[in-house]
Amino acid sequence: MKYLLGTISLIVLIQSFPLIELTQAQENIPVIKSDYIQKVLETKLMDNFPDGEFYPERLISRAELAGVLVKAFYLDKRQAAKQEKPIFVPDVPSSYWAYKDIQTVLKTDIMKGYRGNMFFPNQRVTRAEGLAIFAQAYGVFQFSEPTVNEILTPYPDAASIPNWARRAIATVITEDLINIDPQGKINPLSPMTRGDLAYVLSKYLQRQQKQPETPVVPGIPQQP
């Protein structure tokens, strides 16, 4: 009996060893942030949480989106943002942490309030809303309706894009500022995550890289 119990214990130990070893190995693997997340962290457009993690799967609120856009597009430097009279927003008192940023996006017309001038700062944004607001700050291309349809047609869920967001989403697609899922879907009605926003921002930063001041024209000698 002792021999049998010893054999069973040995088998259990052998079977559990690979699992223990794998778990320990997984714990020792460092979490490597995606390049696009690293880029927005380096430029301070977004920050890690206090524990040092980015949490790309967490959802974005309207207040958080406002703060990011003010930094990304220097909205506080625009002339409209400098008007002294505040816009009354019943659910965003002056003591609210994002009050200044929310005032800026409202004054510059990048974001708008809802009924009764309510801003709903803690409300999560959908991808359609987030991308449309981003495009508003970036500059929505005034495509004709046929052109918008042509741009959006290849995407299997294009019909679910709200009418008010179609031109804006056509803009971010044209500018290659949007992340598409492996099935080729835009997922406009899904909540926007921190990872989604980081991706859009990283692509925007790539477009902001300094271009040559004088374009190189073949056949024309360049000034030294």
Side-chain angles (χ1 to χ4, degrees):
M1 177 63 95
K2 289 182 179 180
Y3 175 77
L4 178 60
L5 290 173
T7 303
I8 292 172
S9 299
L10 180 61
I11 292 172
V12 171
L13 179 62
I14 292 173
Q15 287 178 335
S16 64
F17 179 74
L19 179 60
I20 295 170
E21 184 179 36
L22 178 60
T23 302
Q24 290 175 340
Q26 288 175 333
E27 288 176 352
N28 292 330
I29 295 174
V31 177
I32 301 174
K33 295 182 174 68
S34 299
D35 289 344
Y36 64 88
I37 292 176
Q38 198 61 47
K39 185 179 291 291
V40 298
L41 288 173
E42 289 171 357
T43 54
K44 305 295 185 183
L45 292 183
M46 298 180 74
D47 297 310
N48 285 323
F49 282 86
D51 64 359
E53 295 297 328
F54 186 80
Y55 297 110
E57 75 285 355
R58 292 195 179 181
L59 307 183
I60 290 288
S61 71
R62 283 171 54 81
E64 290 168 334
L65 181 60
V68 171
L69 293 182
V70 168
K71 287 190 288 187
F73 293 95
Y74 303 99
L75 298 181
D76 55 330
K77 306 300 182 185
R78 296 188 182 184
Q79 191 61 38
K82 297 178 181 178
Q83 57 179 299
E84 294 184 8
K85 185 177 179 181
I87 296 175
F88 175 64
V89 187
D91 58 343
V92 184
S94 58
S95 58
Y96 187 72
W97 68 269
Y99 173 80
K100 187 175 179 180
D101 290 332
I102 290 171
Q103 284 290 315
T104 298
V105 295
L106 289 172
K107 289 177 180 179
T108 54
D109 209 27
I110 300 303
M111 296 178 73
K112 300 180 185 297
Y114 290 100
R115 57 191 179 280
N117 287 335
M118 302 288 279
F119 189 82
F120 296 103
N122 298 320
Q123 178 174 295
R124 306 305 182 187
V125 299
T126 63
R127 280 171 54 84
E129 184 181 7
L131 291 168
I133 293 170
F134 185 91
Q136 183 68 21
Y138 182 81
V140 178
F141 295 167
Q142 297 306 304
F143 293 126
S144 65
E145 193 61 31
T147 300
V148 170
N149 292 335
E150 182 180 353
I151 293 169
L152 299 179
T153 294
Y155 301 93
D157 58 348
S160 62
I161 300 173
N163 287 335
W164 50 263
R166 288 175 64 82
R167 185 171 282 127
I169 291 181
T171 297
V172 295
I173 288 174
T174 301
E175 293 293 274
D176 192 28
L177 299 173
I178 183 175
N179 56 333
I180 305 297
D181 77 7
Q183 287 73 46
K185 294 182 179 180
I186 297 170
N187 297 311
L189 303 182
S190 297
M192 174 170 265
T193 66
R194 284 169 55 83
D196 291 334
L197 183 56
Y199 183 90
V200 176
L201 288 168
S202 71
K203 300 292 279 187
Y204 168 70
L205 289 170
Q206 287 179 18
R207 287 195 162 273
Q208 300 310 300
Q209 291 176 351
K210 188 175 181 180
Q211 301 296 319
E213 294 182 3
T214 304
V216 177
V217 181
I220 298 179
Q222 300 299 304
Q223 298 256 339

